[in-house]
Amino acid sequence: MSTPLDTPTTPAAPGTTDGPDRDLAQLGLAALLVVVGGYTLYDATTLRVGFGDPVGPRLFPYVIGAVTVVLGLLLVLATLRGDVPEGEGGEDVDLRQPADWVTVLKLVGVLLFTVLTISFLGWAVSGALLFVGSAWSLGSRTLVRDVIVGLVLSVASWYFFHEGLGVILPAGILDGVL
């Protein structure tokens, strides 16, 4: 949601026009959206289309690129009109407290462990350990429940990707079991 900028309280110099202040960050984001959308549209034209598929692989990049360009242009119009986003109220965030870097480092460690062990352990085991480690890092103290939920989610996602989508995730030490 956006609101128009407040008009300045100081009088303008003679011979100048009072216009709304421009938020250059919003204009930069709008330009980025237009460029990314335009590149997506261009890149969609380079895709090869088979003769048997009436829709082809170009449909989604065209839609995504066009929507991105339109949103960028709408953001330009809103910015030129003087709209700025509302500041976040931070209802449950105490901005006076420093960042919890210990938790961030724990999460980075868990993610690095997953990256380094996924080819050996496989997704089912590494995914479960990723869930358990992340839950522990964020303050969970129910280890048994975290292990069960992690195993169920990782095995279910392995089967969904492997059987449902045809995307091969490493089975690792559970090769032949899954």
Side-chain angles (χ1 to χ4, degrees):
M1 187 160 163
S2 60
T3 59
L5 284 173
D6 294 329
T7 56
T9 56
T10 59
T16 61
T17 58
D18 276 343
D21 291 334
R22 306 290 191 267
D23 187 357
L24 294 179
Q26 279 185 213
L27 289 175
L29 178 63
L32 180 69
L33 285 172
V34 170
V35 168
V36 168
Y39 179 76
T40 304
L41 288 171
Y42 164 74
D43 199 36
T45 63
T46 64
L47 293 174
R48 303 268 184 227
V49 178
F51 64 89
D53 190 4
V55 175
R58 291 184 187 171
L59 176 67
F60 289 111
Y62 278 138
V63 170
I64 290 170
V67 167
T68 305
V69 168
V70 167
L71 288 175
L73 294 175
L74 288 174
L75 184 57
V76 167
L77 290 176
T79 303
L80 293 178
R81 218 176 52 188
D83 289 350
V84 294
E86 282 184 25
E88 183 179 346
E91 59 196 50
D92 62 345
V93 177
D94 187 4
L95 298 175
R96 295 169 293 178
Q97 294 294 324
D100 185 7
W101 291 108
V102 173
T103 301
V104 172
L105 290 175
K106 286 180 187 177
L107 289 169
V108 167
V110 168
L111 187 60
L112 278 174
F113 176 80
T114 303
V115 168
L116 295 174
T117 62
I118 194 167
S119 61
F120 170 70
L121 294 177
W123 171 249
V125 175
S126 281
L129 292 174
L130 174 66
F131 182 86
V132 171
S134 299
W136 167 78
S137 298
L138 295 172
S140 175
R141 299 295 173 239
T142 56
L143 181 64
V144 174
R145 182 186 66 192
D146 294 341
V147 169
I148 292 170
V149 170
L151 281 172
V152 168
L153 287 175
S154 63
V155 170
S157 64
W158 187 88
Y159 274 109
F160 173 74
F161 276 94
H162 191 271
E163 302 299 325
L165 298 177
V167 175
I168 305 301
L169 294 177
I173 60 176
L174 296 179
D175 193 21
V177 176
L178 293 176

